[in-house]
Amino acid sequence: MSRLPPALQPAWPLVKRGHRLATRGVGAATRHIPDGARSLPRLATERAEDTAAREPDVVRLHLGGPGEALRRPIPVGQPADHWIFRWRSSYDVPRRFTLDIGQGTVVGLYAATLTPGGVLDFETSAYFGIDGWREHPLYLRPRLPEPEDFDGTLLSLTTSGTSANYFHFVTDTLPRWGVLEECLPDVRPDACYVSTGSRYQRELLGMLGIDTLPVVEPGKHRAVRARRLLVPSLSNPDLMAPSWTQSWLKRRLPDRGGPDLPRRLYLSRGTKRNTRRLVDEDRHMKVLEHHGFTTIDPGTLSVQEQIDVFAAAEAIVAPHGAALTNLAFANPGLRLLELFAPNYVNPCYWTMADNIPDVRYRYLVGSGRAPRPRSPMNGVLADIRLDPRDFEAAVDDLLA
């Protein structure tokens, strides 16, 4: 949705619906066209157990830790009892596992997982906003890209959104390495299917020691068939921040401490329009400065510096944005005020904050027209306009 120009974002529900209908229609024909190694998968499975059962000679399932029932209390904020937090307050996280596929294929930037028998494993091939495997964008293709053979063990870490998004890379890509370690502790892959085009991606892989492995760079029109393909389960299903995932990140990416780090942070998104910026930021900053807040732009910091700053923070005020991914490294007792535009309230950082012991999370939704409950949140990049009195009251409540 964020790829659409701001003026077209309200049309996103129609665009997405059209995309889903097109995928169903096109796929109904194209997945039945025989084309050898480039044939689209005719069938899919909903669960990895079913994938392994279909082709037991070449597909094995290695189980890891158990699932988790998440039951989260509705946070305090304005307007009170916002429907989106209630909607996401309950979730059952599935068990962890690693699929082990002989002559398995991984396709595209979304890293669809295919067996040699031509089955799509939907559980490890999830995609945003679709209803079932028949709507997977794989089926908008007339056929698969020509498969490139990899003669070794290839670990698939990529999934939807991880090729160019800090949040998804940290929460969806990196912990899959932890799932592999849990399921197959004695296995070292020969290469990883993972994006390294951004500085933060290279920094994070280096911090985990994964940068010593060769990389097979994902591509929109790329398919790689490995002698042995390892596919860990998804570590952040439906953006619900399982506690295991966050604990793993904090343990494996520790902060370095430091006496001179600020304790109260305001995370600025700059002044450019249609970037989810806080309108009249200078005016609101006077309130924050009175309470000892320091403004930082996380995009100017290295990954390690961001980890250190968040680990030292006792209070954070921020518009909704990728910088809050670093909540994974925050310490107990954090106080967080998250700011939203009314047409884009996304609870993904609330779910992360809820994993922090003794956290105080608050939200404040700005002025403007709000969609009806359960309607799509279309204003992905909408700027945030706050009543100064509401903002000051929210900051006072946060620090009380």
Side-chain angles (χ1 to χ4, degrees), residues 266 280-293 295 391-392 395:
Y266 171 69
D280 293 331
E281 185 175 80
D282 290 343
R283 180 179 183 179
H284 297 305
M285 272 306 304
K286 293 178 181 178
V287 174
L288 295 176
E289 288 169 354
H290 175 72
H291 290 287
F293 280 78
T295 300
F391 180 69
E392 186 169 4
V395 173

Side-chain angles (χ1 to χ4, degrees), residues 166 199 298-299 301-311 323 326:
Y166 184 73
R199 185 193 71 177
L301 306 177
S302 70
V303 172
Q304 185 63 64
E305 288 169 336
Q306 292 183 60
I307 292 173
D308 296 343
V309 164
F310 269 72
N326 296 298

Side-chain angles (χ1 to χ4, degrees), residues 80-383:
D81 198 28
H82 194 286
W83 65 267
I84 205 161
F85 296 103
R86 183 168 295 282
W87 178 45
R88 304 301 281 168
S89 63
S90 178
Y91 189 85
D92 292 325
V93 179
R95 75 278 172 255
R96 299 188 291 277
F97 63 84
T98 296
L99 266 182
D100 187 341
I101 308 174
Q103 295 299 309
T105 301
V106 59
V107 181
L109 292 173
Y110 39 61
T113 304
L114 311 183
T115 71
V119 173
L120 170 68
D121 181 73
F122 189 57
E123 189 169 10
T124 59
S125 307
Y127 194 75
F128 303 118
I130 63 175
D131 184 19
W133 65 271
R134 291 176 178 83
E135 294 181 356
H136 196 284
L138 182 75
Y139 291 108
L140 283 178
R141 301 173 179 270
R143 56 183 179 176
L144 296 177
E146 186 69 42
E148 307 168 33
D149 286 317
F150 181 81
D151 187 21
T153 299
L154 180 64
L155 172 63
S156 178
L157 293 179
T158 293
T159 186
S160 298
T162 62
S163 62
N165 181 283
Y166 184 73
F167 168 74
H168 289 295
F169 193 80
V170 171
T171 62
D172 296 337
T173 289
L174 300 183
R176 297 182 84 185
W177 178 261
V179 175
L180 175 73
E181 292 178 321
E182 182 181 55
C183 299
L184 294 167
D186 299 324
V187 171
R188 181 79 173 177
D190 297 308
C192 294
Y193 190 78
V194 65
S195 297
T196 61
S198 297
R199 185 193 71 177
Y200 68 80
Q201 293 170 334
R202 296 188 294 272
E203 288 181 22
L204 284 161
L205 294 173
M207 293 163 68
L208 290 174
I210 306 177
D211 62 334
T212 59
L213 290 172
V215 166
V216 177
E217 196 77 28
K220 183 177 180 180
H221 303 295
R222 189 171 197 183
V224 181
R225 180 173 53 206
R227 179 165 51 82
R228 184 186 187 189
L229 179 65
L230 300 177
V231 190
S233 55
L234 303 183
S235 56
N236 187 26
D238 290 331
L239 313 185
M240 289 303 293
S243 60
W244 181 92
T245 295
Q246 202 155 319
S247 296
W248 185 88
L249 286 166
K250 188 170 177 60
R251 184 174 68 253
R252 294 297 300 270
L253 297 170
D255 67 281
R256 300 172 303 184
D260 299 324
L261 296 171
R263 303 301 177 186
R264 296 184 174 185
L265 309 177
Y266 171 69
L267 311 183
S268 176
R269 291 184 63 86
T271 58
K272 187 176 180 181
R273 296 180 62 185
N274 299 315
T275 58
R276 219 181 295 130
R277 63 174 178 139
L278 177 59
V279 178
D280 293 331
E281 185 175 80
D282 290 343
R283 180 179 183 179
H284 297 305
M285 272 306 304
K286 293 178 181 178
V287 174
L288 295 176
E289 288 169 354
H290 175 72
H291 290 287
F293 280 78
T294 299
T295 300
I296 68 168
D297 177 0
T300 64
L301 306 177
S302 70
V303 172
Q304 185 63 64
E305 288 169 336
Q306 292 183 60
I307 292 173
D308 296 343
V309 164
F310 269 72
E314 63 179 30
I316 297 173
V317 175
H320 175 83
L324 287 173
T325 304
N326 296 298
L327 289 170
F329 313 111
N331 281 313
L334 178 73
R335 298 174 181 229
L336 171 64
L337 173 61
E338 188 172 8
L339 311 175
F340 296 99
N343 52 352
Y344 192 64
V345 181
N346 186 328
C348 66
Y349 298 118
W350 163 61
T351 64
M352 294 185 71
D354 190 72
N355 290 327
I356 303 170
D358 301 320
V359 72
R360 172 180 284 194
Y361 175 91
R362 298 290 188 265
Y363 66 87
L364 177 59
V365 179
S367 59
R369 184 177 179 182
R372 296 188 303 273
R374 299 297 182 98
S375 298
M377 288 285 184
N378 305 323
V380 175
L381 297 177
D383 294 333

